[in-house]
Amino acid sequence: QVEACRSLSDKINVMVRRLDTMQIRSQQALACTEDIINLKESKIRLEKAIEDKNLMSAVHCIKRVHMIDKEAANASDDYKDILSLESTVKEMVQADFNEAINKSELKDVMGLCPLLQTLGLENSAREQFLEFVNNNVFTAVTADEASVGGATDPATGYAQSLTSIFNNAYLILQKYLPLVITGLENSYGDIHFIKRLHHKCEKEAGLILKRYMKFRSVKDIIVQVKNAGKDGRLRLPTKNLPLSSTQSSSSSDMTSIEQQSVDASSTEVHVLLDELALLIQYCCLYCKYIHQLCNGARNRVRTAVASIDD
């Protein structure tokens, strides 16, 4: 009896699974049938959107139609008409996109960017879009010397300039990267966007660091440290070295030759090292953020495959 019950239970389980499968397929068939029936309404809405030049609504209709099983949709004449209308929408979006770029209309370009991928225009528009943002958006990432002159002291000014570059890069990524992912994800537009912005940011940050190193005569200090005597006393150039107030006041009594160098204590050297550590810390924090973005881009599941060099 136990064996018979077990066999009966297995048969019931098989039947239940079959019924579940049939129910799922029936629901899919009903949903597909409903979509095909609604194709006529989608066609009407698409024609109205094209007439009103409402590209957002037109692309939304096309996106919904693309979600229908292609083999089933081909049974409807309305589907063929919608595909014909899609070509018209592509031409309209491409024309408006080119016009917005030629006129440097940032708001219009960013508004049209999410429409590119739905229409399959992401590959052809990627380089054009990246060149546009490089000339119109990435300009905010610049080594501005004005902040150095307006700071309470030069070292603070260099730190402010460096943080300004990193903050502007962060704001650009937060504001525009989601739009790039929506419109250019399948062409790896987000990766190229991050790459170009990072190249710009790295170049400008490097300029600031070089200016700081020159301002503090770091190269000369390194040479003097290497050539220091056994007593450990360093004869460093006074120019731009962060000296204490006592040394600054006494330096006025030096001769013109003696004013070219001064005995540097460990305090002054530590101040210089603290400034360098602060600048390097800003760079490391930015680098960590970029690594997180790159990991997210690498692990993102993309719906289509595109070629990429890097």
Side-chain angles (χ1 to χ4, degrees), residues 111-123:
L112 291 168
C113 182
L115 308 182
L116 299 175
Q117 192 159 280
T118 302
L119 300 175
L121 301 174
E122 66 272 15
N123 290 321

Side-chain angles (χ1 to χ4, degrees), residues 60-236:
H60 180 67
C61 290
I62 293 172
K63 185 176 182 179
R64 290 184 59 187
V65 171
H66 284 174
M67 297 173 64
I68 303 175
D69 182 71
K70 184 178 293 186
E71 185 177 354
N74 281 326
S76 174
D77 294 333
D78 293 324
Y79 181 70
K80 299 176 183 177
D81 295 336
I82 290 174
L83 293 180
S84 178
L85 293 172
E86 182 179 357
S87 302
T88 303
V89 175
K90 286 183 178 181
E91 294 175 359
M92 294 174 64
V93 170
Q94 188 68 63
D96 286 2
F97 187 74
N98 293 336
E99 183 180 0
I101 286 182
N102 293 333
K103 292 183 178 180
S104 298
E105 295 289 346
L106 178 60
K107 183 178 179 181
D108 293 339
V109 172
M110 291 302 174
L112 291 168
C113 182
L115 308 182
L116 299 175
Q117 192 159 280
T118 302
L119 300 175
L121 301 174
E122 66 272 15
N123 290 321
S124 59
R126 187 188 70 190
E127 291 304 319
Q128 191 179 10
F129 173 80
L130 291 173
E131 190 65 27
F132 172 80
V133 294
N134 186 66
N135 297 330
N136 294 272
V137 178
F138 296 169
T139 52
V141 179
T142 178
D144 187 6
E145 292 181 296
S147 60
V148 176
T152 55
D153 62 274
T156 303
Y158 285 107
Q160 289 177 351
S161 297
L162 196 61
T163 55
S164 176
I165 287 178
F166 294 149
N167 287 337
N168 287 337
Y170 171 79
L171 292 175
I172 290 172
L173 288 167
Q174 290 295 309
K175 184 175 182 180
Y176 297 117
L177 186 57
L179 296 175
V180 176
I181 293 175
T182 305
L184 301 170
E185 180 185 19
N186 290 342
S187 63
Y188 292 96
D190 54 327
I191 294 179
H192 286 280
F193 184 85
I194 296 172
K195 178 183 175 181
R196 290 206 181 191
L197 180 58
H198 172 66
H199 177 73
K200 173 76 171 178
C201 188
E202 189 178 37
K203 179 181 177 181
E204 298 298 323
L207 290 175
I208 291 179
L209 293 175
K210 288 179 181 178
R211 291 170 187 169
Y212 172 81
M213 302 283 277
K214 183 178 180 181
F215 172 76
R216 287 300 193 205
S217 302
V218 175
K219 182 183 292 187
D220 295 336
I221 294 174
I222 292 174
V223 173
Q224 294 295 332
V225 169
K226 289 181 178 179
N227 298 330
K230 294 182 179 180
D231 57 356
R233 297 180 64 187
L234 302 178
R235 302 291 291 176
L236 303 182

